[in-house]
Amino acid sequence: MNTEVAPLNQGTVISVRGSVVDIRFAQSLPPIFTLLNTSDASVRIEVRTHLDANTVRGIALTPTQSLARGMTVDDSGGPLLAPVGNAILSRMFDVFGNTIDSGPALDNVTWKSVHNTPPKLINRSTQAEIFLTGIKVIDVLAPLERGGKAGLFGGAGVGKTVLLAEMIHNMVGHHDGVSIFCGIGERSREGEELHREMSEAGVLPNMVMVFGQMNEPPGSRFRVGHAALTMAEHFRDEEHRDVLLLIDNIFRFIQAGAEISGLMGQMPSRLGYQPTLATELASLEERIANTQAGAITSIQAVYVPADDFTDPAAVHTFSHLSASIVLSRKRASEGFYPAVDPLLSNSKMATPGILGERHYNLAQEIRRTLAQYAELKDIISMLGLEQLSAEDRKVVARARRLERFFTQPFFTTEQFTGMSGKLVALEDALTGCERILRDEFSDLPEQALYMIGTIDEANLEPESKPNKTKLEKVTPTHDEP
């Protein structure tokens, strides 16, 4: 809990409308973003607007059921604070810095304001370095950047959280720095599941979890991302450690901002979003940076409303990212997991100078092959495969085998699929793609490349593979040559 601060002055509640609270102060008005508390600290309010010389309007960060007109509110004398320091490792917090994991009380922590400015341009590092995930389709076609921001885009139910959980499993154990998971407006059960799984995996000692779940007021959901970033900045700037920041879901941050904007009576902009959408998102995203002291590498799930990638929330988020991993509902329905769309996903790291000539040229050849196959699909569906030229039939065969090779069994879904998870090194993934493009597996059925790790596993006969019946049910057959 925050250390008690003597109130500078007291105010009186004059109106309560949902999460919007108006408070009159007789002495002096508290500054914007000041935290106000009721006497028993059951209700906490953040000042958002000065209405006149004596009145402020704030947004409650807690439910307001116990609040009434005439009640007194204490000025805390400062903004919302977050705990920082090594003592927060392996713990789970809410937006106020309270532990919610039933563990012992916190000792030796420092409290810092959640409102920090991004690092100056002169302090940022310009070194470009790849951040490997062990997931074939991402490492080959849309590699992540150390100290960069990657987004997992997709509509409801296409596998964003599963893919994020797999990245946590693959990277947290091999990540030398600190990992911080920030849950913004997601399901409460996911927090409990993540804590249990990370504890069983033995990676909690270098991990911190911060949650503002979907049942909490919009003020709490809006600030939990700032609280997590404050913790990440401490480890980067003070401890000089690399930080892996995982956010699920950045759209809920934007959604909470839209709720607050509507509650405050601001005129909405396009599609009902807040007029300050770009500013609010930038104030969060620009704090995620690679500096001389260390790097904050962020992977963010981004819900796309109604699968519409022109939605303002998706468009504004795209502009901040160094890698965009787009999940496709069509690929998920065809049984390709992870359901990453290889043609829509991209990365600013995909240049010859960073990846090297071999990796870059291979990625371009893969994209070219898959794009040609996408163009030929209409001809195949209307006229049949036999109407294609011999060269086009080879392109189709390569593309279909590449699609299946890019599927991968996950560690986090073993209990559902019955298949053991695979972690694939970049060199093995590149070698597999090269051999497929050289038609080395043209004699093997496509099924042999589905849900494997390295390409060497494809030499097994399909009959000897585990769960053959399960695989057959989900392997696409609608345009089988």
Side-chain angles (χ1 to χ4, degrees):
M1 292 289 292
N2 296 14
T3 54
E4 291 296 323
V5 178
L8 301 179
N9 60 349
Q10 285 190 323
T12 305
V13 176
I14 58 175
S15 75
V16 182
R17 297 185 303 280
S19 292
V20 180
V21 185
D22 290 351
I23 303 155
R24 178 173 286 118
F25 284 85
Q27 301 175 32
S28 61
L29 289 186
I32 301 296
F33 294 154
T34 299
L35 198 63
L36 311 177
N37 304 312
T38 54
S39 56
D40 60 355
S42 62
V43 179
R44 296 186 171 187
I45 304 159
E46 185 179 70
V47 176
R48 303 286 297 202
T49 308
H50 289 179
L51 295 179
D52 55 40
N54 299 103
T55 313
V56 301
R57 176 166 291 170
I59 288 288
L61 306 187
T62 54
T64 54
Q65 285 93 329
S66 60
L67 205 58
R69 291 176 63 182
M71 290 180 66
T72 57
V73 176
D74 297 331
D75 178 358
S76 70
L80 180 66
L81 303 175
V84 297
N86 287 322
I88 70 172
L89 291 172
S90 79
R91 304 303 301 271
M92 184 187 286
F93 298 93
D94 65 9
V95 68
F96 302 107
N98 302 318
T99 55
I100 54 174
D101 55 6
S102 304
L106 281 179
D107 293 322
N108 302 322
V109 294
T110 307
W111 295 84
K112 288 187 176 180
S113 167
V114 302
H115 304 282
N116 295 326
T117 55
K120 295 178 181 178
L121 198 58
I122 195 171
N123 296 328
R124 299 195 179 213
S125 172
T126 56
Q127 183 179 3
E129 188 178 334
I130 297 299
F131 197 79
L132 296 176
T133 66
I135 298 170
K136 290 179 286 192
V137 66
I138 293 175
D139 289 344
V140 172
L141 295 178
L144 309 189
E145 177 190 9
R146 176 185 173 270
K149 297 181 277 284
L152 308 179
F153 289 83
V158 295
K160 295 184 301 297
T161 300
V162 171
L163 186 55
L164 192 65
E166 184 71 7
M167 288 183 173
I168 294 171
H169 180 281
N170 290 357
M171 292 187 289
V172 167
H174 305 96
H175 182 63
D176 295 331
V178 177
S179 301
I180 297 178
F181 183 90
C182 177
I184 305 178
E186 288 298 298
R187 302 162 189 82
S188 298
R189 64 167 175 79
E190 292 175 350
E192 185 274 331
E193 289 171 359
L194 184 69
H195 187 272
R196 185 176 68 250
E197 289 168 5
M198 295 301 103
S199 179
E200 291 171 357
V203 296
L204 266 186
N206 283 315
M207 195 168 187
V208 184
M209 300 183 194
V210 193
F211 289 97
Q213 299 302 111
M214 61 168 51
N215 61 300
E216 298 184 23
S220 174
R221 286 181 271 127
F222 188 70
R223 286 291 174 227
V224 71
H226 297 96
L229 259 172
T230 301
M231 298 174 182
E233 287 166 339
H234 170 82
F235 286 112
R236 180 193 65 192
D237 300 333
E238 308 298 329
E239 308 278 344
H240 302 292
R241 300 176 70 177
D242 283 356
V243 181
L244 178 61
L245 177 64
L246 304 133
I247 302 177
D248 188 12
N249 185 303
I250 203 70
F251 173 79
R252 305 298 177 193
F253 167 77
I254 295 171
Q255 192 177 45
E259 288 185 47
I260 291 172
S261 176
L263 289 168
M264 297 297 291
Q266 291 177 313
M267 184 72 73
S269 65
R270 184 169 162 247
L271 297 184
Y273 285 102
Q274 63 271 41
T276 52
L277 166 60
T279 304
E280 290 172 358
L281 186 62
S283 68
L284 184 79
E285 295 282 5
E286 285 300 298
R287 291 170 62 180
I288 303 170
N290 191 356
T291 70
Q292 307 297 338
I296 299 178
T297 302
S298 175
I299 301 173
Q300 311 168 8
V302 187
Y303 168 69
V304 180
D307 293 338
D308 178 14
F309 284 89
T310 64
D311 188 272
V315 170
H316 283 285
T317 307
F318 265 123
S319 64
H320 290 281
L321 304 174
S322 56
S324 301
I325 313 299
V326 177
L327 300 178
S328 160
R329 190 174 303 281
K330 185 175 185 296
R331 294 183 68 80
S333 67
E334 291 176 343
F336 293 126
Y337 294 104
V340 175
D341 189 315
L343 297 178
L344 293 180
S345 302
N346 60 77
S347 170
K348 293 174 183 173
M349 294 289 99
T351 63
I354 297 172
L355 299 183
E357 289 291 339
R358 178 202 175 206
H359 185 170
Y360 174 77
N361 291 334
L362 186 58
Q364 293 299 99
E365 179 64 21
I366 291 167
R367 287 182 185 277
R368 209 161 26 244
T369 302
L370 294 173
Q372 284 179 269
Y373 176 44
E375 291 174 0
L376 293 169
K377 278 184 177 178
D378 287 341
I379 298 175
I380 295 170
S381 61
M382 288 188 292
L383 303 176
L385 190 71
E386 61 276 2
Q387 297 301 316
L388 298 180
S389 66
E391 186 55 41
D392 282 346
R393 281 202 294 271
K394 284 185 179 180
V395 169
V396 171
R398 290 175 200 139
R400 290 174 62 84
R401 282 166 173 76
L402 282 170
E403 284 183 331
R404 283 150 182 77
F405 180 61
F406 280 139
T407 61
Q408 189 168 339
F410 281 177
F411 293 96
T412 50
T413 58
E414 285 180 356
Q415 57 181 323
F416 306 111
T417 63
M419 290 180 280
S420 57
K422 307 283 186 183
L423 182 74
V424 183
L426 175 61
E427 180 59 33
D428 292 334
L430 294 176
T431 300
C433 294
E434 271 181 338
R435 293 178 66 186
I436 290 171
L437 290 171
R438 291 199 302 258
D439 295 330
E440 288 188 26
F441 297 92
S442 57
D443 294 333
L444 272 182
E446 296 168 0
Q447 175 76 16
L449 296 166
Y450 182 73
M451 283 294 174
I452 62 172
T454 63
I455 196 69
D456 293 332
E457 297 174 34
N459 292 323
L460 295 170
E461 287 299 318
E463 287 76 15
S464 66
K465 284 187 173 183
N467 300 319
K468 178 176 180 287
T469 53
K470 276 189 184 179
L471 296 179
E472 284 179 339
K473 287 178 184 174
V474 294
T475 303
T477 56
H478 64 285
D479 56 349
E480 195 80 40

